[in-house]
Structure formats: C-alpha cells, structure tokens
Amino acid sequence: MPGSTVSPELPGFSLFLPEGFIALPAGQIDKTKFRSLASEISASFGLGLNAEIDQGLAETTAMLATTAAAAQAGGSSYTAAGFFRSPDEANRPIMATLNCFCLESRHRSANVAIAGLEQVHRSTANGPVEIMELPVGPAVVAQSFTPGEIAVGTDIVETTEHAITAWIPGPKVVLGLAVTSNNTEDWAHVADLARGIFDTFEWAGTSA
C-alpha cells in the first residue's frame, strides 16, 4: 500500500495492511467510485464483488465515504477501513480505521524528535504512551480514548472511540499512523493489530 505526503518535497512511505482492510477513496465520490467502494465492502463481507447494493450496503458505503472525507479534511493523506470478527466472540464484528498524517518538521535528529513527541504526548494523552522500536527506527506510540454518543432512533447509545497512534520521525517530517475503533471489548486485539501494521512501515526508497 503506497502512502502519500502533504507536498512533493516530503518523503513518501509504504506500509502493509492485513486482509480485511479497504482503501477509502479521497476527494469527491461519484457514482462510479461509490459502486467500486460498495463492491469492495461487499467482497470483504463475503458477498462477492457483484452483490446487489441493498439499503444496508448503501448505508455502509455512504458512512465510509463520509468517514474518508472527514479524515481528509482533518489532514489525512490516506484512509482505510478494516472489518474483522472478534477473536473472543465470532458474532461480534470489529471495524477499525487507519489514517496517515504527514507533518513537516525541522527536528535536528530522530532522537530530538522522539524526546519532544514523548514529552508532548505524556502530558496530553489519556492512555498509555511508549517508545516503540520499529524496523524503520523509534516511534512514540500513544493511546487515547474519546467518549461520545450516537442517536439510534429515539435512543442515545454511549460510545468510546479508542485510538493508537505511532508518531514516526523521518527526513523533514513526522508521520502519524493512527488506528481507531469504537469496539471497546476488543480494543486490545485492535491495538495489537495496529502494532503489527506499524512494524511494516517504510520510508520510500529504504526497502530491500
């Protein structure tokens, strides 16, 4: 999966996403892109690429298109959504999203960037913060949770969005890989999945 950055002068990157993830389209989604995304979602659910777009599939596709647009507006250069089954309860679905944020930085070295990132996130995060040694180098990995509410008919359902983000310093940039999910019961599994994705990250031109 190729990544992109916020300007041509900044380095590119790549990472590997496990089966179950779907890349979400950027920009305006026309009828062709909508049908293509619906087909990928349908296939991920085991319904086949040519399944009929019923109301449920259309609503899911529209929700993910909105998610991608909101992420892009927030600065994400790449967004993907993953669909899985809970390892603990086969009938419980898990949805996770991944976003890539590339920020220009003038840090003198990776160690300087790591020290600054760790200080910032230890003072602001409401979850664990750790320094993780990735194949590409050190990263600050921070977890957080944000409570919220969703209206379901006349009822209000309380939710918690969990996030784990790896902040990776590189040449003239700090890149954030964020994996989020509302699935509290299986968050430990999602966080482990995210760490596996972080391990696959490479800056462009550094692969063997």
Side-chain angles (χ1 to χ4, degrees), residues 104-141:
E104 292 187 65
S105 175
R106 296 183 180 180
H107 54 267
R108 297 190 303 275
S109 68
N111 288 338
V112 169
I114 288 294
L117 288 165
E118 183 183 19
Q119 182 179 12
V120 168
H121 288 288
R122 286 200 185 280
S123 65
T124 59
N126 57 7
V129 176
E130 60 183 311
I131 296 178
M132 184 174 174
E133 287 294 334
L134 306 179
V136 75
V140 172
V141 177

Side-chain angles (χ1 to χ4, degrees), residues 57-148:
L57 180 56
E59 290 177 351
T60 300
T61 304
M63 179 270 291
L64 290 178
T66 301
T67 297
Q72 184 180 14
S76 177
S77 59
Y78 180 85
T79 302
F83 303 91
F84 313 96
R85 292 287 180 182
S86 167
D88 301 327
E89 175 52 64
N91 292 325
R92 185 166 65 223
I94 300 173
M95 182 181 127
T97 57
L98 176 139
N99 284 290
C100 302
F101 300 92
C102 220
L103 309 175
E104 292 187 65
S105 175
R106 296 183 180 180
H107 54 267
R108 297 190 303 275
S109 68
N111 288 338
V112 169
I114 288 294
L117 288 165
E118 183 183 19
Q119 182 179 12
V120 168
H121 288 288
R122 286 200 185 280
S123 65
T124 59
N126 57 7
V129 176
E130 60 183 311
I131 296 178
M132 184 174 174
E133 287 294 334
L134 306 179
V136 75
V140 172
V141 177
Q143 296 190 47
S144 63
F145 60 91
T146 305

